[in-house]
């Protein structure tokens, strides 16, 4: 059995159990060095605390390589230590697979909780270190479409090492229509600027003023609670919550922080809202569609690979979320049912864990 050591993860949310199960299904034993001492979902897996500080994590990583003797290092690029992880692995003769996880090659700052010169400097330094990590790694896993353009801009020779591997989720064998739907719309992601949640709140207010009958939920406010992920975009989250209270829409729109089992809430709703700059392939979006929720999205990065307007979702091509919500509310039951099943089929055929496992197997 091959062995993989996974490093760089700051937390272990439920979505990572999909990855662990996939590795096990293809005969690979994964061990995780996690930066948080709260294992939560990962208690059933081979998981170890990486250490509280930088030097502790550096030492424990090098020690684990020598004692565990992995065939591969899977490095997730959350940390400024990524280059260290890659360099040590190469020195010790272990193959490295480098996972890009977001906008690190673009210097993305939308997830920060405050603005400062030092944080901007950190982002720029991190971007330089990530570029060097790409050059040293044996494989580069690109989870989003824009990663390919960023990698190409660094050096076309790097594209030969790239594996495009989108997120996947568990999917039931058969489609089931849901009989206990009690609400119309749900947003379930981090409330950060790049996902345009302010526009969403304003659109809900307009629907209410125009006497539309609807109900909605917004999950992901760091301002309220966060028991799953690290806090992201707290300032923006606070601003959106203040706007929500100012517009007085609490009677039709409920709000909450992150919760452990969002699937329980997803199935109560008809439509999944994701007016984001990057669409492919958000975990919550995939999970919602796998349950038959019809997505309503902006034409963000990679959207055309997963959602076809009017077939398995609604695309707000003009970035007018209000019009998209109004269109959704006016759908007939038959049209909604067809789109709901089409959403499920898309995930079943192209974004199920069997596809993910097969893709991982090809990289070993």
């Amino acid at each position: 059995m091959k062995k993989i050591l996974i490093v760089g993860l700051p937390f272990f949310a439920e979505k990572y159990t999909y990855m662990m199960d996939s590795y096990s299904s293809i005969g690979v034993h994964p061990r995780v060095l996690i930066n948080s001492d709260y294992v939560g979902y990962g208690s059933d897996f081979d998981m170890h605390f990486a250490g509280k500080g930088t030097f502790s994590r550096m030492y424990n990583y090098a020690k684990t390589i020598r004692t565990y003797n992995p065939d591969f290092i899977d490095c997730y690029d959350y940390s400024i230590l990524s280059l260290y992880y890659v360099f040590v692995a190469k020195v010790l003769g272990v193959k490295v697979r480098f996972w890009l996880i977001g906008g690190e090659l673009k210097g993305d700052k939308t997830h920060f909780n405050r603005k400062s010169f030092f944080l901007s400097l950190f982002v720029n330094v991190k971007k330089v270190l990530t570029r060097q990590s790409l050059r040293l790694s044996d494989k580069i896993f690109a989870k989003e479409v824009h990663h390919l353009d960023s990698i190409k801009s660094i050096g076309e020779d790097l594209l030969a090492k790239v594996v495009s591997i989108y997120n996947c989720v568990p999917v039931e064998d058969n489609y089931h229509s849901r009989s206990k739907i009690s609400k119309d719309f749900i947003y379930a992601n981090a409330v950060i600027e790049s996902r345009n949640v302010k526009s969403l709140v304003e659109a809900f207010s307009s629907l209410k003023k125009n006497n539309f009958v609807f109900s909605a939920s917004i999950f992901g406010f760091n301002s309220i609670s966060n028991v799953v992920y690290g806090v992201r975009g707290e300032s923006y989250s606070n601003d959106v919550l203040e706007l929500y209270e100012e517009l007085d829409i609490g009677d039709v729109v409920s709000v909450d922080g992150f919760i452990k089992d969002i699937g329980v809430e997803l199935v109560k709703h008809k439509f999944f809202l994701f007016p984001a700059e990057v669409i492919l392939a958000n975990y919550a979006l995939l999970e919602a569609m796998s349950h038959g929720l019809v997505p309503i999205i902006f034409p963000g990065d990679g959207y055309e690979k997963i959602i076809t307007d009017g077939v398995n979702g609604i695309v707000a091509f003009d970035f007018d979320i209000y019009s998209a919500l109004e269109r959704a509310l006016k759908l007939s039951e038959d049209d909604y049912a067809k789109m709901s099943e089409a959403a499920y089929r898309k995930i079943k055929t192209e974004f199920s864990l069997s596809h993910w496992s097969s893709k991982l197997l090809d990289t070993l």
Side-chain angles (χ1 to χ4, degrees):
M1 176 176 283
K2 291 186 180 296
K3 295 186 290 186
I4 285 179
L5 178 63
I6 299 170
V7 294
L9 293 181
F11 51 78
F12 195 89
E14 185 178 18
K15 62 186 180 182
Y16 289 121
T17 65
Y18 308 154
M19 171 184 66
M20 302 293 277
D21 290 339
S22 292
Y23 276 132
S24 297
S25 72
I26 58 175
V28 174
H29 180 82
R31 173 175 291 185
V32 180
L33 277 180
I34 192 166
N35 293 350
S36 170
D37 58 359
Y38 172 69
V39 296
Y41 289 113
S43 57
D44 294 332
F45 301 107
D46 185 2
M47 184 169 301
H48 303 264
F49 180 37
K52 190 172 184 180
T54 298
F55 292 108
S56 177
R57 290 172 184 172
M58 294 170 70
Y59 172 77
N60 287 331
Y61 170 67
K63 179 182 177 182
T64 301
I65 290 182
R66 299 307 296 264
T67 57
Y68 182 56
N69 193 27
D71 298 286
F72 302 96
I73 300 294
D74 272 18
C75 179
Y76 281 76
D77 190 37
Y78 285 96
S79 168
I80 201 167
L81 287 177
S82 291
L83 182 58
Y84 168 78
Y85 294 143
V86 173
F87 179 76
V88 170
K90 297 299 290 184
V91 168
L92 295 177
V94 184
K95 292 183 178 179
V96 181
R97 298 125 57 84
F98 195 80
W99 291 76
L100 295 168
I101 45 83
E104 58 265 51
L105 290 174
K106 293 183 174 182
D108 180 27
K109 303 180 183 70
T110 61
H111 60 289
F112 279 171
N113 300 318
R114 64 185 186 280
K115 296 180 180 179
S116 75
F117 168 77
F118 292 106
L119 285 176
S120 295
L121 179 63
F122 173 85
V123 169
N124 290 328
V125 170
K126 171 80 165 50
K127 184 166 62 173
V128 172
L129 296 178
T130 295
R131 288 178 173 226
Q132 294 304 314
S133 298
L134 296 181
R135 296 192 179 281
L136 290 175
S137 298
D138 296 283
K139 288 190 182 295
I140 303 166
F141 285 8
K143 299 179 72 177
E144 297 173 0
V145 176
H146 65 87
H147 288 154
L148 300 178
D149 292 331
S150 295
I151 294 169
K152 186 177 180 180
S153 71
I154 298 168
E156 290 198 24
D157 58 309
L158 293 176
L159 292 175
K161 299 195 289 187
V162 172
V163 177
S164 290
I165 184 165
Y166 307 127
N167 293 326
C168 291
V169 294
V171 187
E172 291 190 14
D173 291 336
N174 298 296
Y175 171 77
H176 301 287
S177 59
R178 288 166 294 122
S179 59
K180 295 183 179 180
I181 296 175
S182 58
K183 290 189 174 185
D184 296 294
F185 306 112
I186 183 171
Y187 174 94
N189 268 286
V191 177
I192 55 178
E193 189 173 358
S194 61
R195 290 170 182 168
N196 300 292
V197 189
K198 275 189 179 179
S199 298
L200 190 56
V201 169
E202 291 168 347
F204 285 145
S205 177
S206 297
L207 284 178
K208 179 181 176 182
K209 289 177 181 177
N210 291 331
N211 299 315
F212 280 92
V213 178
F214 74 98
S215 58
S217 307
I218 302 177
F219 290 88
F221 279 100
N222 289 308
S223 318
I224 299 174
S225 69
N226 194 335
V227 297
V228 182
Y229 303 98
V231 175
R232 300 172 59 197
E234 191 168 17
S235 176
Y236 181 79
S237 177
N238 280 324
D239 290 345
V240 176
L241 191 57
E242 288 176 6
L243 177 64
Y244 164 82
E245 292 169 348
E246 177 187 323
L247 293 176
D248 190 27
I249 55 175
D251 57 327
V252 289
V253 182
S254 64
V255 295
D256 205 339
F258 284 95
I259 62 173
K260 288 185 177 180
D261 190 359
I262 192 61
V264 173
E265 298 298 328
L266 287 175
V267 296
K268 300 176 184 177
H269 298 74
K270 293 179 69 175
F271 299 96
F272 181 85
L273 307 178
F274 197 50
E277 295 175 9
V278 176
I279 300 299
L280 187 72
N282 177 266
Y283 270 112
L285 171 64
L286 299 180
E287 187 173 1
M289 292 176 67
S290 76
H291 289 298
L293 278 75
V294 173
I296 301 175
I297 64 162
F298 278 177
D301 190 60
Y303 84 92
E304 68 281 356
K305 293 182 180 293
I306 186 170
I307 295 170
T308 302
D309 183 59
V311 176
N312 64 353
I314 294 174
V315 182
F317 290 109
D318 54 2
F319 297 94
D320 181 355
I321 193 63
Y322 173 83
S323 296
L325 297 180
E326 183 177 348
R327 180 180 162 193
L329 290 173
K330 291 180 178 179
L331 278 179
S332 69
E333 288 299 320
D334 285 344
D335 286 341
Y336 174 81
K338 291 176 183 177
M339 293 175 73
S340 172
E341 184 167 0
Y344 159 83
R345 297 285 176 205
K346 184 69 173 183
I347 307 305
K348 176 68 175 176
T349 56
E350 297 182 33
F351 296 92
S352 66
L353 281 187
S354 60
H355 291 275
W356 172 269
S357 300
S358 176
K359 194 87 171 183
L360 286 177
L361 183 60
D362 290 340
T363 67
L364 298 177

